[in-house]
Amino acid sequence: MKRGRKTNEANSSSSEDTIEKESKRHKVVEKKTIVVQSPDWANLLQDIILQVFQYLPLLDRAHASQVCRSWNQVFHMPDLWRCFEFELNQPATSNLRTTHPELIKQIIKRHSNHLQYVSFKVVDSSKESAEAACDILSQLVNCSLKTLGLISTARPSFMDLPKSHFISALTVVFVNSKSLSSLKIDDTPVDDPSLKVLVANNSDTLKLLKMSSCPHVSPAGILCVADQCHGLRELALNYHLLSDELLLALSSEKHVRLEHLRIDVVSENPGQTQFHTIQKSSWDAFIKHSPKVNLVMYFFLYEEEFDPFFRYEIPVTHLYFGRSVSKDVLGRVGMTCPRLVELVVCANGLRPLDEELICIAERCKYLSAVGLGECEVSCSAFVEFVKMCGGRLSQLSIMEEVLIPDQKYSLEQIHWEVSKHLGRVWFPDMMPTW
């Protein structure tokens, strides 16, 4: 009996010891778990902080960088400075946003060699803001940009600068950036010699070039680019730079297929601009080489200046008339633009465009977007136009004032008929009353 009691006591004592040990072990585990669940934010992996910073606006990122030394180090990591937009204006005369001068100094000092995707947005029309952009460009001697955009939201901006000053700053980038793929320099005094520098240093990488309204560039200058930059896929320029030689250069076997060609046909002074004619054979060669190209043409001409255009078939896909265009010209559009996808007419006058719209519907089998401004169309002709185009009209923007009621349809009835043929609910646009 005593031996049994001792054995039971021993077993009981052993069980109590085991329970106590297990209890202590669980407490240790609990304490360790609590430590794991309370991370030290200052010691988070830098790549995680970097990912968070990439979603923050610049000002918030700067504020966050003041939290601790680790976060400040992440703030200056190269990955955060590959893409940057300089916004420039004169704070004394404007309340618009601008990049702080101290930040610009820091970028030039610590991150100029990290910049790859850069744009300069001059948000006022002052010469001083354009000069500031050039000053920054001229200091990017250690950069290797992939994309550069010079954007003027108000004219004249860059065109007010001495040409030599602008060219000098731009050449710094052209010489030091050996892999420039995208260049947007609309409304700037860029010239032929500077384009030769661009080609000499970036001919293998340039894919996009936008340079509308650059009066110092000649057809020979843009032809030099096309001859040497065989990887060019997107090009935007004024009509006076377009030539048969340029189209043939873009159509050579060495050149890749162009994806986007934008042509601005602009006249500032009626009757004083002579527009040349591009040969049909040049357009044919171009479209044979690049059959899927988007050819976008913006016309800002006066009525008497349209004579050289739409006389034979051209491969335009997107056509915009920014000024009034005659019934005759629109009739020729229907006969000569079989690849047309989008048509926007700012104004026409007071003569209904019934026959012209029907002709366009008959011959432009790919038309999917139409916009009419100050024009007139009878309701019956408009319904017939929509019926012929059918559901492929994904965009149809017509002001209510454009539609003229007739014996067949009133303004109250027309939206039902048009909706039926479109396969979706449609209403004409209405002029705001406020």
Side-chain angles (χ1 to χ4, degrees):
M1 292 293 291
K2 290 182 180 180
R3 187 179 299 172
R5 184 184 299 170
K6 287 181 179 180
T7 301
N8 291 337
E9 289 176 354
N11 290 338
S12 176
S13 176
S14 176
S15 297
E16 289 176 357
D17 291 341
T18 301
I19 292 171
E20 186 177 356
K21 289 179 180 179
E22 286 294 317
S23 176
K24 290 180 179 179
R25 187 172 69 83
H26 280 295
K27 287 180 179 179
V28 171
V29 172
E30 287 176 0
K31 288 180 181 179
K32 289 182 178 178
T33 303
I34 292 172
V35 171
V36 172
Q37 291 175 350
S38 301
D40 183 357
W41 291 102
N43 293 324
L44 275 176
L45 293 175
Q46 284 192 338
D47 58 344
I48 297 178
I49 304 173
L50 177 62
Q51 291 180 32
V52 174
F53 271 36
Q54 287 174 337
Y55 288 98
L56 295 178
L58 178 62
L59 187 59
D60 294 341
R61 195 188 306 166
H63 289 157
S65 70
Q66 299 175 14
V67 170
C68 61
R69 182 179 298 175
S70 177
W71 286 28
N72 186 263
Q73 291 173 348
V74 173
F75 178 72
H76 290 289
M77 290 180 69
D79 285 353
L80 291 176
W81 298 98
R82 300 196 194 285
C83 179
F84 195 84
E85 180 178 79
F86 294 91
E87 294 184 298
L88 303 168
N89 68 34
Q90 299 306 299
T93 59
S94 173
N95 294 322
L96 299 172
R97 291 178 56 185
T98 186
T99 305
H100 198 280
E102 288 302 319
L103 177 59
I104 293 175
K105 290 180 182 178
Q106 286 295 316
I107 291 173
I108 293 173
K109 180 180 179 180
R110 302 186 61 170
H111 301 295
S112 62
N113 59 325
H114 302 148
L115 296 172
Q116 293 184 2
Y117 310 94
V118 175
S119 62
F120 292 83
K121 181 184 289 185
V122 178
V123 295
D124 59 9
S125 60
S126 70
K127 178 181 177 181
E128 291 77 11
S129 297
E131 286 179 338
C134 287
D135 289 341
I136 298 171
L137 276 175
S138 63
Q139 296 179 69
L140 300 182
V141 293
N142 297 319
C143 72
S144 183
L145 300 187
K146 295 183 182 298
T147 70
L148 173 64
L150 303 181
I151 304 165
S152 298
T153 58
R155 295 184 181 184
S157 193
F158 290 105
M159 292 303 299
D160 260 0
L161 299 178
K163 185 161 74 78
S164 59
H165 180 42
F166 176 83
I167 295 301
S168 175
L170 194 62
T171 301
V172 169
V173 176
F174 288 172
V175 170
N176 289 282
S177 299
K178 305 297 184 181
S179 57
L180 196 62
S181 64
S182 174
L183 180 62
K184 300 178 182 179
I185 46 175
D186 294 337
D187 300 296
T188 64
V190 63
D191 60 6
D192 289 359
S194 59
L195 289 182
K196 289 183 179 180
V197 176
L198 168 70
V199 169
N201 291 278
N202 300 273
S203 61
D204 293 335
T205 58
L206 190 65
K207 295 181 180 180
L208 181 151
L209 177 61
K210 292 186 63 179
M211 45 180 302
S212 296
S213 302
C214 296
H216 300 294
V217 175
S218 72
I222 193 64
L223 182 59
C224 171
V225 176
D227 274 335
Q228 301 297 321
C229 301
H230 297 145
L232 197 65
R233 296 181 182 276
E234 297 186 38
L235 181 62
L237 51 113
N238 281 79
Y239 185 81
H240 77 273
L241 296 178
L242 186 67
S243 64
D244 295 291
E245 293 79 10
L246 176 60
L247 287 177
L248 293 176
L250 295 171
S251 307
S252 68
E253 292 183 1
K254 294 180 180 180
H255 206 287
V256 300
R257 290 182 174 88
L258 207 67
E259 297 173 359
H260 190 93
L261 175 60
R262 169 174 167 163
I263 307 296
D264 291 349
V265 192
V266 182
S267 173
E268 300 293 344
N269 302 305
Q272 298 184 16
T273 305
Q274 296 295 322
F275 292 97
H276 60 285
T277 300
I278 301 296
Q279 298 298 318
K280 184 178 185 302
S281 57
S282 302
W283 283 122
D284 290 343
F286 174 67
I287 204 63
K288 182 179 180 181
H289 180 72
S290 302
K292 296 182 179 180
V293 66
N294 285 320
L295 174 57
V296 183
M297 299 188 74
Y298 283 80
F299 282 86
F300 297 90
L301 301 184
Y302 296 94
E303 188 171 325
E304 62 272 17
E305 296 174 317
F306 275 100
D307 190 63
F309 302 99
F310 308 109
R311 291 298 180 183
Y312 54 80
E313 190 172 299
I314 59 173
V316 62
T317 56
H318 298 73
L319 190 53
Y320 305 92
F321 293 101
R323 291 178 182 155
S324 181
V325 58
S326 68
K327 281 171 62 69
D328 176 60
V329 171
L330 287 176
R332 282 154 40 195
V333 166
M335 302 298 291
T336 60
C337 304
R339 297 180 73 244
L340 194 62
V341 173
E342 183 173 5
L343 174 65
V344 176
V345 180
C346 175
N348 167 256
L350 300 178
R351 297 175 62 190
L353 299 176
D354 294 5
E355 298 85 357
E356 290 73 21
L357 278 183
I358 298 301
C359 177
I360 289 171
E362 286 177 342
R363 300 181 66 90
C364 302
K365 302 298 184 181
Y366 305 102
L367 190 67
S368 62
V370 175
L372 299 179
E374 297 179 14
C375 306
E376 285 193 357
V377 181
S378 72
C379 287
S380 294
F382 182 66
V383 170
E384 183 63 21
F385 167 78
V386 174
K387 181 179 179 180
M388 295 173 70
C389 293
R392 74 170 187 266
L393 280 176
S394 58
Q395 298 180 41
L396 186 60
S397 178
I398 310 294
M399 296 299 296
E400 186 179 56
E401 290 78 9
V402 170
L403 300 171
I404 308 302
D406 52 31
Q407 294 180 350
K408 197 170 183 180
Y409 298 104
S410 66
L411 289 177
E412 289 74 23
Q413 296 170 322
I414 193 171
H415 76 89
W416 292 109
E417 282 296 317
V418 173
S419 298
K420 179 176 69 177
H421 296 302
L422 288 179
R424 65 179 187 276
V425 176
W426 178 87
F427 288 93
D429 299 333
M430 300 189 66
M431 189 72 69
T433 56
W434 59 86

